[in-house]
Amino acid sequence: MTLMISVPSDDAKAIFDGEKTWELRKAFPNQIKLPSPVMVYVPKPVKCVLGIFATTKIVAWTAKEWVEYGEQLCWTEEQIADYLQGKVGYGINIVNPRRIEPIPLEKLIKLGIKPPQVYSYLSRREVLGILK
């Protein structure tokens, strides 16, 4: 199972430039087995899968704990607090990010893959279809 996450273009750039080493989520991707590949989909205006990274760790921490990782999230303390609103945040570590040839939304749709609003799971067959 491969995780596909949707991230804004600024966050995708930070991931693939090596600046962002943690991705923060409100929901826990509970079907993922570690270590796992993660595909990065960027919605409007890009509408493409731009790359992939590995993850070896998912942690659940409070906003107070995440503040210590603000630089690795590329977020300020205020952004973390506003996003989590007092709830636990789930962090996905980012290992070996790499850009790939962009895979447009049209190709995903042709393969029957709906891009995620937050995250989704892809089978091995779906991943191979995307990367062809």
Side-chain angles (χ1 to χ4, degrees):
M1 189 83 48
T2 295
L3 185 66
M4 179 185 279
I5 62 172
S6 179
V7 299
S9 58
D10 289 349
D11 283 350
K13 181 179 182 330
I15 287 169
F16 297 116
D17 287 348
E19 298 166 8
K20 184 175 175 89
T21 57
W22 284 93
E23 175 63 22
L24 186 58
R25 297 288 157 143
K26 292 180 189 176
F28 178 70
N30 59 2
Q31 293 181 28
I32 190 170
K33 291 191 175 156
L34 301 175
S36 177
V38 178
M39 295 190 93
V40 178
Y41 175 78
V42 180
K44 290 182 182 179
V46 178
K47 297 182 184 178
C48 287
V49 172
L50 293 183
I52 193 163
F53 64 83
T55 188
T56 57
K57 188 185 309 182
I58 297 176
V59 296
W61 291 336
T62 65
K64 185 176 180 180
E65 292 168 305
W66 278 116
V67 166
E68 294 179 37
Y69 288 81
E71 191 172 306
Q72 295 171 13
L73 291 165
C74 295
W75 285 16
T76 65
E77 182 175 348
E78 185 177 311
Q79 287 173 308
I80 294 167
D82 287 348
Y83 180 70
L84 293 179
Q85 297 180 351
K87 297 186 174 142
V88 168
Y90 300 95
I92 301 167
N93 78 321
I94 298 168
V95 180
N96 299 323
R98 62 183 170 90
R99 287 180 174 88
I100 60 173
E101 185 70 31
I103 301 162
L105 173 61
E106 295 78 22
K107 181 172 182 178
L108 298 176
I109 291 170
K110 273 186 181 179
L111 294 168
I113 298 169
K114 183 180 175 188
Q117 290 189 0
V118 178
Y119 66 83
S120 62
Y121 301 101
L122 300 172
S123 69
R124 179 174 165 73
R125 181 185 58 76
E126 289 172 320
V127 171
L128 292 174
I130 290 171
L131 296 176
K132 275 187 181 177

